[in-house]
Amino acid sequence: IDGAGKTTVCNYLSEEYDYHYMTQPEDSWIGEAARRALKEDVEPSCDLFLHMAAHANQQARLKSQLEKSNVVMDRYYPSRVAYQAVQTQFSAKEIEEMHFNWSIQPSKIVILDIPPETALKRKGR
C-alpha cells in the first residue's frame, strides 16, 4: 500500500548495502504512460497492460544490472497482481501467469504490512 515505507526501505538498502535501486514503473516514456494512467480515468485493463509494457521494457536493464550487483525494487509484478486483481476482470492467477514466463523472478519478496490508517496519515489523507 502507498505510504507503507517501500521507498524508505529501498533507499536504506541501496545506501547501506550498495544495492542498485530500481523503480516500477521505470523512467521511460512507457513508464511515464503507465504513471499517467494512474492519474487519469482509464479502463483498469488498460492500466494493467501499460504497467506490463513498462515492466517488459525494463527486463533487459534489470538483467544487465543483476549481472553487476544486487537490485532492490519498491514494487515488482507481484504488486501488480495484488492491485489489478481487484480492479480488472482478470484473476490474480491470470495476471501472475501473464508475467511469469518472461519476467525475471525475484529472489526475495518483502511485504510491509501496516494499518491502512497509518498509510493514509503518512500520505496526508
Side-chain angles (χ1 to χ4, degrees):
I1 191 168
D2 290 343
K6 296 179 301 297
T7 301
T8 301
V9 170
C10 287
N11 281 326
Y12 172 80
L13 291 171
S14 67
E15 292 170 12
E16 187 70 21
Y17 297 99
D18 200 30
Y19 291 177
H20 184 78
Y21 181 14
M22 297 178 81
T23 62
Q24 281 204 351
E26 57 163 350
D27 289 331
S28 71
W29 70 267
I30 300 170
E32 180 55 36
R35 278 190 295 282
R36 187 174 169 190
L38 294 172
K39 298 174 185 170
E40 296 188 17
D41 188 24
V42 300
E43 288 296 316
S45 295
C46 179
D47 179 54
L48 167 64
F49 292 124
L50 284 169
H51 277 81
M52 283 180 62
H55 175 80
N57 193 55
Q58 188 180 44
Q59 293 299 288
R61 277 194 304 286
L62 176 56
K63 182 179 180 184
S64 175
Q65 189 60 49
L66 285 168
E67 292 171 359
K68 298 181 253 179
S69 69
N70 289 313
V71 173
V72 63
M73 300 181 85
D74 55 0
R75 58 178 42 98
Y76 200 55
Y77 81 83
S79 175
R80 187 167 315 108
V81 170
Y83 277 95
Q84 299 296 337
V86 298
Q87 296 178 357
T88 68
Q89 72 272 20
F90 299 105
S91 70
K93 183 176 179 169
E94 289 171 319
I95 297 169
E96 187 166 20
E97 287 173 353
M98 288 180 202
H99 288 82
F100 193 79
N101 289 327
W102 56 272
S103 294
I104 296 169
Q105 297 304 308
S107 60
K108 290 188 178 21
I109 297 175
V110 176
I111 298 171
L112 304 178
D113 185 14
I114 68 166
E117 299 80 22
T118 302
L120 291 171
K121 184 176 177 184
R122 290 177 179 177
K123 296 301 286 182
R125 297 185 220 153

